[in-house]
Amino acid sequence: MTRQVPEESDRARVEQALENICLGLLLTLLVIGGPFVIKYRSEGAVHWGYSARYLYGVVIPLDLVSLTLAALALARQRRAAVLAKVLPPALLETFRPVVGACFLLAGAASVVYGFLVSDEYVSLLMMIVLPCAIALGWSMTTGAASGGAGPSRANLLLACLPVLVGGILLFAVEIPGLLAGSPLVVWGDESTFATLFPREAPYIGPGGRLKPGLDVRMRAPEYPNGARLATNSQGFRNQREFGAKPAAGELRLLSLGDSFSTGFCAEQDRFFGSLLEKRLASTRPGGEVTVMNAEVSDPAYGLYYLQQFGVHYHPEIVIYGLSGNDMMQAEQFSGDDRLFKLDGRGRLLPNPAFDPTLASAWDRYREFEYPAMGSSAPSAPGVLATLLSKLVRFHFFSALTAAAERQRSQPVDMPGYAQQYESADGHKRFIDGSANLGFFYRKRLEPVERMYAAAFELIEAMDRSAREGGARFLLVIYPQRYQVQPRDWEVMRKRWNLDDLDFDLGLANRRLEEFCRTEGVACCDLMEPFRRAATGQDLFLPGGDTHFNRHGHEVAARAVEECLIHAPDPERLQSAR
């Protein structure tokens, strides 16, 4: 008994010293990591560039943590635990397991939420700060009132120390890059796009949908520090400016397409249009080649852009890249009660009979479901893969990039826009805004046929408009990932109990090619080039994304170059070879 009090006193001093060290480290990490939280910009921002989810799930909790820690530090100056002022020591000891369990659950919830935050910096900061803050708060509010309460407090604080020190080192190394650069923007929100799907004039800008004068870095899986996105004063994803007419000897191409053509999450010099320009220029050393990259959402907005702006730049070749959801969107925006309607001369004009209450295709056709029920919950990246994908953003962990790429390249079920319906009854929708399996279903579905008809009508009008403007037209058909990477099809087939006999993964391409042959439209189908290239490497972004990675963009540029060279009238392309 004579030695118990000194031992407890020594233990209390050690624990208090550990608490002070952890408190100092935690506050230091908050100061260093704070700028990463502040500079982040959310998609769908509502307050100060932040979404409601980010504001209430990240900014406010971190502010509350800081204020709580400051309050606890002030309370410690009076050598009294906060709870001891309210509850007697005996009662506090009774409730101590409950308090500890609540803190433990809160810490676990903060780690889970940290995994869900898209920005890697903010995500890792939350996964470090909140659990350590909760552990420290639990120690500071219960320790003095419970007379030391055993060695668990010291062990918990010792466990936090290396985590906090590591976090400080990680973020300290990143500070110079943060100060030198701008916050990473999001492709498709107001930080990058001037328009999305406007329902009234002006429907699109002279350079497409991208904002003019951009020079930013966007969040991108392949580029830890962001992919550069630059546009000229007209909104083209080009850095150079364009006159109304090409210069003498210049071969000018106009590339129209959505994020597949204009490089979602792709570096400025590594997306389809820029790579095609380089390849064509290498074959024409005596002449200039320009590929003008105009972001358009679908064939309807693409045709409207071509007729209103594109032909006035006098391109010699017009390329339209048809992606996985374009035929669906053709029916969404062009027709008797749609936003646009073709007149008798093939001009796409605003439709006075437009029905603004028209729902999106995946909502209108939610009853068109595959008959079999899905077999299991959708696959998702594991905890290790998710953690690696966040850590490789930091310079200290650059060596993990290869391992993270291997983890992230594992096939998962493709996310779509009809998930609320699919999750409710377990049936895959033929039209979901992403996979759109209805275009590969062997049985003909009436909604799909209407989509084909609308797309064919718009493509034919594009070809006619390009010809009338003195240009050649080329339709480029981009493949779906499950068409060219068998393991992606296998994941989808198992997830939704799809019968291979019900689907023909080349059906949509053959129908498009048949239409092009009948109407005399030049066509370049990329499915076979992608299939050949996919045997040795991944061609798509991770996580079931339908967009190309840097290898996919290279394959697309190479294949389109071959199509252009071997298309009729290739003399201009082959000159000076």
Side-chain angles (χ1 to χ4, degrees):
M1 294 295 294
T2 57
R3 299 180 57 188
Q4 183 175 0
V5 174
E7 287 178 356
E8 292 181 353
S9 177
D10 291 342
R11 181 188 302 157
R13 284 197 297 269
V14 170
E15 289 170 347
Q16 184 170 342
L18 288 173
E19 287 175 0
N20 291 335
I21 294 172
C22 285
L23 179 62
L25 292 174
L26 197 52
L27 292 174
T28 301
L29 181 57
L30 282 169
V31 170
I32 295 176
F36 293 90
V37 175
I38 295 170
K39 295 198 78 173
Y40 175 84
R41 291 297 177 267
S42 306
E43 185 175 357
V46 293
H47 300 294
W48 309 296
Y50 306 136
S51 66
R53 177 180 174 183
Y54 186 76
L55 184 65
Y56 298 118
V58 176
V59 178
I60 292 179
L62 287 177
D63 287 341
L64 290 176
V65 165
S66 302
L67 292 173
T68 301
L69 290 174
L72 289 173
L74 290 174
R76 288 293 297 274
Q77 297 299 319
R78 295 190 293 271
R79 307 294 184 186
V82 174
L83 292 183
K85 296 181 178 181
V86 181
L87 299 175
L91 184 61
L92 181 61
E93 187 65 24
T94 302
F95 283 97
R96 191 167 178 272
V98 177
V99 175
C102 291
F103 274 108
L104 182 63
L105 289 174
S110 68
V111 172
V112 171
Y113 190 84
F115 265 87
L116 300 177
V117 176
S118 60
D119 184 84
E120 291 85 351
Y121 291 125
V122 177
S123 176
L124 198 64
L125 184 68
M126 288 192 66
M127 286 190 284
I128 294 174
V129 166
L130 294 182
C132 289
I134 289 169
L136 180 60
W138 174 74
S139 176
M140 295 176 71
T141 54
T142 62
S146 59
S152 59
R153 289 177 59 221
N155 293 339
L156 188 62
L157 295 170
L158 285 171
C160 290
L161 282 177
V163 176
L164 291 171
V165 171
I168 291 172
L169 293 175
L170 282 177
F171 282 92
V173 172
E174 303 299 320
I175 282 290
L178 179 75
L179 297 177
S182 58
L184 297 183
V185 299
V186 178
W187 176 279
D189 73 357
E190 65 275 7
S191 67
T192 52
F193 275 48
T195 62
L196 288 175
F197 301 101
R199 296 186 173 187
E200 56 187 26
Y203 296 97
I204 199 166
R209 297 196 299 169
L210 288 168
K211 273 187 173 181
L214 287 174
D215 192 356
V216 295
R217 304 201 75 84
M218 60 179 160
R219 293 203 293 268
E222 293 184 287
Y223 303 96
N225 294 321
R228 188 180 179 216
L229 170 61
T231 59
N232 66 12
S233 63
Q234 297 156 305
F236 290 99
R237 192 175 182 187
N238 298 80
Q239 293 176 256
R240 57 182 296 191
E241 300 294 335
F242 303 123
K245 293 184 178 181
E250 175 188 354
L251 174 62
R252 177 175 286 188
L253 296 85
L254 175 61
S255 174
L256 301 177
D258 59 10
S259 48
F260 287 80
S261 294
T262 50
F264 170 81
C265 290
E267 182 65 37
Q268 182 73 12
D269 61 351
R270 300 294 298 274
F271 73 96
F272 166 74
S274 62
L275 293 171
L276 179 62
E277 181 177 281
K278 291 176 184 177
R279 296 188 68 88
L280 295 175
S282 68
T283 67
R284 303 182 72 252
E288 182 180 0
V289 176
T290 301
V291 176
M292 305 168 66
N293 301 289
E295 220 286 342
V296 299
S297 62
D298 63 275
Y301 278 93
L303 175 59
Y304 185 85
Y305 172 85
L306 178 62
Q307 293 178 342
Q308 298 295 322
F309 298 104
V311 293
H312 301 298
Y313 288 103
H314 300 281
E316 188 164 332
I317 300 171
V318 175
I319 299 171
Y320 179 76
L322 188 78
S323 66
N325 60 359
D326 277 353
M327 287 191 290
M328 177 199 74
Q329 289 179 306
E331 184 261 359
Q332 178 77 23
F333 298 120
S334 178
D336 290 338
D337 59 350
R338 304 304 198 257
L339 181 63
F340 300 110
K341 185 177 181 179
L342 283 166
D343 66 9
R345 299 177 301 158
R347 300 285 296 177
L348 191 69
L349 300 173
N351 185 3
F354 168 54
D355 179 8
T357 66
L358 188 70
S360 298
W362 51 85
D363 291 318
R364 284 185 284 122
Y365 301 124
R366 61 181 178 271
E367 302 304 325
F368 284 89
E369 59 189 37
Y370 187 71
M373 183 177 291
S375 60
S376 61
S379 58
V383 173
L384 177 59
T386 303
L387 184 59
L388 283 176
S389 69
K390 295 179 183 299
L391 286 175
V392 294
R393 180 78 170 270
F394 293 81
H395 289 86
F396 269 169
F397 287 90
S398 58
L400 294 176
T401 301
E405 283 298 326
R406 287 194 297 271
Q407 290 283 343
R408 292 191 301 172
S409 66
Q410 297 302 309
V412 297
D413 191 33
M414 291 172 58
Y417 295 96
Q419 287 179 324
Q420 58 176 322
Y421 309 121
E422 295 170 349
S423 299
D425 60 20
H427 289 271
K428 185 63 181 171
R429 269 31 181 200
F430 285 118
I431 300 299
D432 64 355
S434 179
N436 294 321
L437 291 173
F439 293 106
F440 304 97
Y441 196 55
R442 293 183 186 273
K443 298 177 184 179
R444 297 211 168 189
L445 303 171
E446 183 56 32
V448 173
E449 294 306 307
R450 290 198 293 270
M451 293 173 186
Y452 270 116
F456 290 161
E457 186 178 49
L458 292 168
I459 292 168
E460 183 182 6
M462 275 193 214
D463 179 66
R464 187 185 314 119
S465 296
R467 291 174 185 269
E468 290 174 354
R472 294 164 50 203
F473 178 77
L474 178 67
L475 176 69
V476 175
I477 305 173
Y478 295 131
Q480 287 274 22
R481 62 182 301 148
Y482 57 79
Q483 288 182 276
V484 300
Q485 295 184 166
R487 59 181 185 164
D488 287 294
W489 173 249
E490 187 65 12
V491 168
M492 181 174 291
R493 187 187 66 79
K494 289 182 177 179
R495 165 71 177 98
W496 298 107
N497 275 328
L498 306 177
D499 188 340
D500 277 323
L501 297 178
D502 287 340
F503 296 91
D504 178 353
L505 297 187
L507 178 60
N509 302 63
R510 290 198 303 275
R511 290 193 64 175
L512 284 164
E513 288 182 311
E514 181 183 356
F515 158 76
C516 288
R517 281 194 300 271
T518 302
E519 301 299 329
V521 177
C523 176
C524 183
D525 183 5
L526 302 190
M527 184 172 66
E528 288 305 323
F530 266 67
R531 282 181 172 176
R532 291 193 297 270
T535 58
Q537 59 190 345
D538 292 311
L539 301 178
F540 295 83
L541 293 176
D545 199 308
T546 59
H547 293 90
F548 309 145
N549 62 17
R550 60 181 183 274
H551 304 301
H553 281 285
E554 291 167 359
V555 174
R558 183 167 61 248
V560 171
E561 179 198 21
E562 290 298 315
C563 287
L564 288 171
I565 289 174
H566 295 100
D569 191 27
E571 288 82 3
R572 281 274 289 169
L573 287 166
Q574 293 181 322
S575 63
R577 265 191 162 186

